Amino acid sequence: METLSYNEGIIYEFNKDNPFIKKVASGTTLRIETYDCFQNQIQSEETEVANIDWDKINPATGPIYVENAQLGDVLKVKIEKIEIGDQGVMVIGPDLGIMGDRFEKMESKILSIQDDHVIFNDLELPLHKMIGVIGVAPKGDGINCGTPGAHGGNMDNKMVTEGATLYFPVFTEGALFSLGDFHAAMGDGEVSVSGVEVPGAATVTLEVIKGETIRQPLLENDEVFSQIYSAETLDEAAKEATREMIDRIVAKSNLPISDVTMLMSAVGQAEICQIVDPLMTARFVVPKWLLEKLDVTLIG
Ligand code: CA
Ligand code: ZN
């Protein structure tokens, strides 16, 4: 299988005008290497976090042009495998994250990754490998890699992990797919503004789907479908994720919206992805067993 290195190209902004660094046929599986979100600038706790180059944040490897992807199609991205480095970094600091007002200076912590654990001081934390930044070129102006949106981007959704499949709306020819910002662990919210930031590599299969339309990223894993939505406030993100999911189930079934709304209130989950990025990200999660009972196929 082919590997795409970050040396071949990175972006700091998802933009339809970015030149692609690789062209692949729909259905291609490839391995993509990534820097961590600080572009690997913090390798020890001696590094002054305030003095790193803050223009080199959230690099994503890409973009990759997927042949035959056209405006209005869907790009399906299956995350086959996530590999991570053996050391991660976390930071806190003034104005960063939910607790930023409690700190006077930036601090970092280096965490070693051993077997299935992240070592924090002398604590073993469970490993949860995930991808923070993943998406396609947006319509209109570029969007920096720190901001999430309809194109994906910095969604910091801990469900974006091995075995998950993402569906993105295609806004430009070739879709222009990129990814970066892996975490060895992160809780819902990403409250400090950093997960356990690690370099890594993801093996993904990129496939163009014709004849389906989505407005915002959708995620599927073995158990659930999840509608992702990013907005100015968490309230709006959670409400719009819910509406988007309910409207889709109604559109894909013959069920009345009253019943679908009651069913989603009974078994659907409105959840937080992150509450620290320039836009907030929420998801609405529906178990597949219910969709199967309702005979609803959300996306082909
Ligand atoms: Ca992130
Ligand atoms: Zn990150």
Side-chain angles (χ1 to χ4, degrees), residues 37 58 132-133 145-146 154-156 181 183 186 190 193 195 197 277:
C37 73
N58 283 321
V133 172
C145 289
N154 193 17
M155 299 183 290
D156 286 323
D181 182 31
H183 301 157
M186 189 197 91
E190 201 190 21
V193 91
E197 307 292 338
D277 292 332

Side-chain angles (χ1 to χ4, degrees), residues 3-138:
T3 288
L4 185 65
S5 160
Y6 47 68
N7 292 320
E8 292 169 68
I10 53 172
I11 56 166
Y12 299 103
E13 179 178 279
F14 287 85
N15 190 317
K16 61 180 169 14
D17 297 328
N18 284 333
F20 59 85
I21 59 168
K22 174 94 194 150
K23 196 175 212 179
V24 300
S26 175
T28 298
T29 302
L30 79 169
R31 182 174 171 275
I32 306 168
E33 293 178 345
T34 65
Y35 288 110
D36 72 19
C37 73
F38 302 110
Q39 206 164 316
N40 299 1
Q41 294 181 88
I42 308 173
Q43 294 300 317
S44 83
E45 286 168 14
E46 277 66 60
T47 305
E48 280 290 338
V49 182
N51 294 340
I52 66 169
D53 185 344
W54 285 87
D55 290 332
K56 293 184 176 164
I57 294 296
N58 283 321
T61 305
I64 298 166
Y65 182 108
V66 185
E67 285 171 6
N68 207 23
Q70 306 283 349
L71 175 70
D73 293 341
V74 170
L75 183 69
K76 176 179 180 180
V77 181
K78 172 87 194 285
I79 302 168
E80 315 279 359
K81 187 174 180 190
I82 298 176
E83 300 159 70
I84 57 172
D86 54 12
Q87 164 173 308
V89 59
M90 299 194 80
V91 301
I92 53 95
D95 305 323
L96 294 181
I98 303 303
M99 302 301 285
D101 61 337
R102 312 289 173 87
F103 301 116
E104 273 162 19
K105 67 178 192 48
M106 287 198 181
E107 281 176 44
S108 65
K109 187 183 287 289
I110 300 290
L111 303 94
S112 86
I113 297 166
Q114 293 170 13
D115 303 322
D116 280 337
H117 293 99
V118 176
I119 310 299
F120 187 104
N121 300 339
D122 56 359
L123 292 169
E124 288 188 342
L125 312 181
L127 193 66
H128 181 88
K129 296 181 286 182
M130 56 159 284
I131 299 174
V133 172
I134 182 167
V136 298

Side-chain angles (χ1 to χ4, degrees), residues 26-298:
S26 175
T28 298
T29 302
L30 79 169
R31 182 174 171 275
I32 306 168
E33 293 178 345
T34 65
Y35 288 110
D36 72 19
C37 73
F38 302 110
Q39 206 164 316
N40 299 1
Q41 294 181 88
I42 308 173
Q43 294 300 317
S44 83
E45 286 168 14
E46 277 66 60
T47 305
E48 280 290 338
V49 182
N51 294 340
I52 66 169
D53 185 344
W54 285 87
D55 290 332
K56 293 184 176 164
I57 294 296
N58 283 321
T61 305
I64 298 166
Y65 182 108
V66 185
E67 285 171 6
N68 207 23
Q70 306 283 349
L71 175 70
D73 293 341
V74 170
L75 183 69
K76 176 179 180 180
V77 181
K78 172 87 194 285
I79 302 168
E80 315 279 359
K81 187 174 180 190
I82 298 176
E83 300 159 70
I84 57 172
D86 54 12
Q87 164 173 308
V89 59
M90 299 194 80
V91 301
I92 53 95
D95 305 323
L96 294 181
I98 303 303
M99 302 301 285
D101 61 337
R102 312 289 173 87
F103 301 116
E104 273 162 19
K105 67 178 192 48
M106 287 198 181
E107 281 176 44
S108 65
K109 187 183 287 289
I110 300 290
L111 303 94
S112 86
I113 297 166
Q114 293 170 13
D115 303 322
D116 280 337
H117 293 99
V118 176
I119 310 299
F120 187 104
N121 300 339
D122 56 359
L123 292 169
E124 288 188 342
L125 312 181
L127 193 66
H128 181 88
K129 296 181 286 182
M130 56 159 284
I131 299 174
V133 172
I134 182 167
V136 298
K139 71 167 178 248
D141 292 340
I143 296 176
N144 72 63
C145 289
T147 302
H151 69 295
N154 193 17
M155 299 183 290
D156 286 323
N157 179 349
K158 75 178 186 192
M159 290 178 75
V160 180
T161 188
E162 239 170 47
T165 297
L166 277 156
Y167 299 88
F168 296 103
V170 174
F171 297 108
T172 194
E173 203 180 287
L176 300 183
F177 174 79
S178 307
L179 58 71
D181 182 31
F182 292 13
H183 301 157
M186 189 197 91
D188 283 339
E190 201 190 21
V191 296
S192 89
V193 91
S194 83
V196 179
E197 307 292 338
V198 280
T203 302
V204 297
T205 302
L206 303 173
E207 187 185 341
V208 179
I209 300 181
K210 303 279 182 188
E212 289 275 5
T213 306
I214 56 172
R215 292 187 293 195
Q216 297 281 333
L218 260 178
L219 181 146
E220 173 184 8
N221 63 25
D222 286 346
E223 282 88 40
V224 301
F225 266 96
S226 169
Q227 176 66 60
I228 304 166
Y229 205 106
S230 300
E232 293 278 332
T233 65
L234 185 59
D235 276 10
E236 190 190 349
K239 288 174 185 173
E240 291 302 327
T242 306
R243 291 187 183 119
E244 204 70 27
M245 177 62 91
I246 291 176
D247 285 344
R248 191 166 190 87
I249 293 172
V250 171
K252 294 281 186 179
S253 69
N254 291 316
L255 299 163
I257 191 168
S258 51
D259 273 9
V260 176
T261 302
M262 285 187 235
L263 279 168
M264 291 306 111
S265 198
V267 299
Q269 309 287 332
E271 298 179 348
I272 294 170
C273 298
Q274 58 75 27
I275 47 173
V276 292
D277 292 332
L279 296 177
M280 309 295 135
T281 306
R283 57 179 183 255
F284 192 82
V285 183
V286 180
K288 277 185 167 173
W289 66 259
L290 178 62
L291 295 170
E292 279 158 22
K293 292 244 189 252
L294 298 174
D295 204 18
V296 170
T297 304
L298 275 190

